[in-house]
Amino acid sequence: MSVAAHAHTSYGHHARALKTPRDIEYDVLARITGRIQTHIPHARGRTGAALTEALNDNRRLWAAFAADLAHPENAFPADLRARMFYLAEFTLRHTLQVLSGSASADVLVDINTAVMRGLRPGGRTA
């Protein structure tokens, strides 16, 4: 076993434990957004199974964000909480429209990407 492989085996799981909540939120948003983007071109005018699954995961994530934002101990400033809660409501409603075939998922990608920028120092997405 090489030194690098041994180091990864020994310390790799510890490196993952050092992720901040912001890092975890970014990673989840990035994975879901990537899946939505991947399946949009294949589902123009209809919602395929893979896109439906990605949209439902996105919906569950935004529902969790909304629940966290509504919690009285949430540390975000009131104005930011209100704006993020509005985004969560919009995302949940728009997802239903996408699933019914009456709207595009592109706007959901845009929202997720904007939030991802806010989660990274300097506003960059990976």
Side-chain angles (χ1 to χ4, degrees), residues 3 6 22-23 30 36 38 40-42 52-53 62 67 69 75 81 85-86 92 101 103 115 124:
V3 173
H6 180 69
R22 288 175 75 119
D23 292 335
I36 293 170
T38 297
I40 287 174
H42 305 293
T52 297
E53 184 179 331
W62 277 95
L69 290 162
R81 284 173 63 183
F85 195 83
Y86 168 77
L92 296 172
V115 171
R124 295 172 299 193

Side-chain angles (χ1 to χ4, degrees), residues 40-120:
I40 287 174
H42 305 293
R44 295 283 180 211
R46 62 179 175 72
T47 307
L51 179 59
T52 297
E53 184 179 331
L55 290 170
N56 281 323
D57 288 345
N58 194 58
R59 184 185 52 75
R60 283 191 290 277
L61 177 63
W62 277 95
F65 285 163
D68 184 58
L69 290 162
H71 195 278
E73 294 179 17
N74 184 293
F76 281 174
D79 183 53
L80 179 58
R81 284 173 63 183
R83 286 184 283 147
M84 290 298 295
F85 195 83
Y86 168 77
L87 273 179
E89 287 181 320
F90 175 84
T91 299
L92 296 172
R93 279 193 317 271
H94 193 79
T95 298
L96 293 175
Q97 293 173 342
V98 174
L99 289 169
S100 73
S102 63
S104 169
D106 293 329
V107 85
L108 299 174
V109 170
D110 293 342
I111 290 169
N112 285 4
T113 302
V115 171
M116 288 165 53
R117 266 190 237 107
L119 291 170
R120 285 287 190 224

Side-chain angles (χ1 to χ4, degrees), residues 12-31:
H13 69 282
H14 295 293
R16 278 183 247 119
L18 297 177
K19 286 189 173 192
T20 67
R22 288 175 75 119
D23 292 335
I24 295 167
E25 289 172 345
Y26 182 94
D27 291 347
V28 172
L29 271 167
R31 278 194 304 272

